[in-house]
């Protein structure tokens, strides 16, 4: 009996020793590259800004000190530039298109995918009913997006509100032709993003089928072109699960506010997409930044 007891203690000691070896130690710097021009809000709290582009671990964070010592963030980087730095070993975490996730996983890459946190939408300077009912979301979702995310007529995703399905996307070319106006509309989108460019080109074709003429005025850097009559943009869901458009903040518990924001067809939601990131082999833990660590 004593022998069994001593053996049990030995096994527990070995297990604790192995666990201790696996437990990450504090330290290391994570190198992150993003398309955004502002720091991700989820970094606030676990980390604090010490200089532009560099954050240090917050020792007093209520959730516990992050494993990392620091994070270096490069903002405003195109997906192409991010991919190049990743291949050269200059970045640990980069953004990738949700369309590429399946291919990357087949190659054995480490990929992290969130729930839908981004809304692709058309933002118009005037009501555009004809355009809204011309777009074939199902075809774009299937062919261009490879079924990543979901087609939508809502600003906030279903997993947040529970009622996004009530804003069912509608395609009605007969209604579009009755509502269409002869004047062409200028159309801006992000020409540096191949997926956004492909979606924009398909929207131009769909609009023409509904009697709407869009003249593409491609804009770099996330679909700028503020002077354009129609813009294809990404709307990011905030950390508090709200989305802001045209100065109005839409919350998950206010169906009437979202319906009012969409009623005049100045904002036309198209797709809810997840955020996707590729991680270098030296990145461990996650999915939150404060739970990550890096190996040498």
């Amino acid at each position: 009996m004593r022998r069994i007891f001593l053996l049990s203690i030995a096994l527990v000691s070995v297990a604790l020793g192995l666990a201790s070896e696996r437990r990450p130690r504090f330290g290391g710097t994570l190198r992150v590259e993003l398309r955004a021009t502002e720091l991700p809000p989820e970094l606030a709290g676990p980390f604090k800004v010490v200089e532009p582009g560099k954050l240090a671990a917050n020792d007093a964070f209520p959730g516990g000190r992050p494993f990392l010592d620091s994070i270096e963030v490069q903002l405003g980087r195109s997906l192409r530039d991010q991919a190049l730095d990743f291949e050269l070993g200059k970045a640990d975490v980069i953004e990738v298109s949700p369309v590429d996730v399946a291919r990357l996983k087949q190659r054995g890459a480490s990929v992290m995918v969130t729930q839908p946190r981004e809304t692709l939408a058309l933002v118009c300077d005037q009501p555009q009913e004809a355009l809204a009912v011309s777009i074939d979301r199902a075809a774009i979702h299937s062919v261009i997006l490879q079924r990543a995310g979901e087609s939508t007529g809502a600003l906030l995703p279903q997993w947040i509100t529970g009622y996004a399905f009530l804003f069912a996307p509608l395609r009605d070319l007969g209604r579009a032709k009755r509502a269409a106006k002869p004047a062409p509309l200028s159309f801006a989108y992000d020409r540096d993003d191949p997926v956004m460019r492909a979606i924009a080109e398909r929207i131009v074709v769909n609009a023409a089928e509904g009697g709407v003429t869009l003249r593409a005025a491609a804009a770099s850097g996330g679909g700028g072109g503020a002077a354009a009559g129609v813009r294809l943009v990404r709307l990011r869901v905030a950390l508090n699960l709200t989305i802001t458009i045209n100065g109005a903040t839409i919350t998950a518990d206010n169906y009437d506010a979202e319906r009012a924001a969409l009623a005049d067809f100045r904002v036309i939601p198209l797709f809810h997409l997840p955020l996707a990131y590729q991680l270098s082999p030296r990145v461990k833990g996650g999915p939150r930044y404060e739970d990550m660590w890096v190996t040498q």
Side-chain angles (χ1 to χ4, degrees), residues 180-194:
K181 299 176 182 178
L185 303 170
S186 58
F187 180 33
Y189 57 90
D190 184 0
R191 66 185 175 198
D192 296 328
D193 185 327

Side-chain angles (χ1 to χ4, degrees), residues 70-283:
S70 60
I71 296 181
E72 294 177 353
V73 183
Q74 290 192 55
L75 300 173
R77 302 285 286 169
S78 69
L79 292 181
R80 181 180 178 181
D81 289 341
Q82 291 182 47
L84 180 59
D85 283 351
F86 190 85
E87 291 296 324
L88 295 175
K90 296 180 179 180
D92 300 312
V93 179
I94 62 169
E95 290 178 283
V96 295
S97 170
V99 174
D100 295 328
V101 168
R103 176 180 57 83
L104 289 169
K105 286 184 175 180
Q106 288 176 351
R107 290 169 45 189
S110 176
V111 182
M112 183 172 66
V113 182
T114 71
Q115 291 179 299
R117 294 296 298 258
E118 191 172 66
T119 301
L120 294 191
L122 295 173
V123 178
C124 314
D125 64 354
Q126 298 292 329
Q128 298 296 342
E129 178 183 358
L131 177 60
V133 296
S134 295
I135 300 168
D136 188 351
R137 291 172 176 82
I140 295 173
H141 184 236
S142 176
V143 177
I144 298 176
L145 292 175
Q146 298 293 297
R147 300 194 178 279
E150 55 201 23
S151 301
T152 188
L155 281 169
L156 285 169
Q158 175 70 19
W159 72 271
I160 294 177
T161 67
Y163 56 69
F165 70 94
L166 295 176
F167 296 95
L170 171 69
R171 190 180 199 223
D172 186 337
L173 293 181
R175 176 180 170 185
K177 291 174 180 177
R178 290 191 298 272
K181 299 176 182 178
L185 303 170
S186 58
F187 180 33
Y189 57 90
D190 184 0
R191 66 185 175 198
D192 296 328
D193 185 327
V195 174
M196 291 285 275
R197 186 168 64 246
I199 292 173
E201 290 169 354
R202 179 47 51 182
I203 288 174
V204 171
V205 173
N206 288 167
E209 293 171 343
V212 179
T213 301
L214 294 178
R215 290 182 176 170
S220 299
V230 179
R231 293 178 293 130
L232 177 62
V233 301
R234 300 184 189 88
L235 302 174
R236 183 69 60 89
V237 176
L239 196 60
N240 62 355
L241 303 184
T242 64
I243 204 164
T244 301
I245 181 66
N246 292 339
T249 298
I250 308 301
T251 62
D253 58 353
N254 197 334
Y255 167 81
D256 290 336
E258 182 164 355
R259 183 177 62 178
L262 301 176
D264 64 358
F265 302 106
R266 290 176 184 263
V267 180
I268 307 169
L270 302 174
F271 307 100
H272 291 144
L273 295 177
L275 304 179
Y277 304 90
Q278 185 175 1
L279 314 180
S280 74
R282 78 186 201 111
V283 178

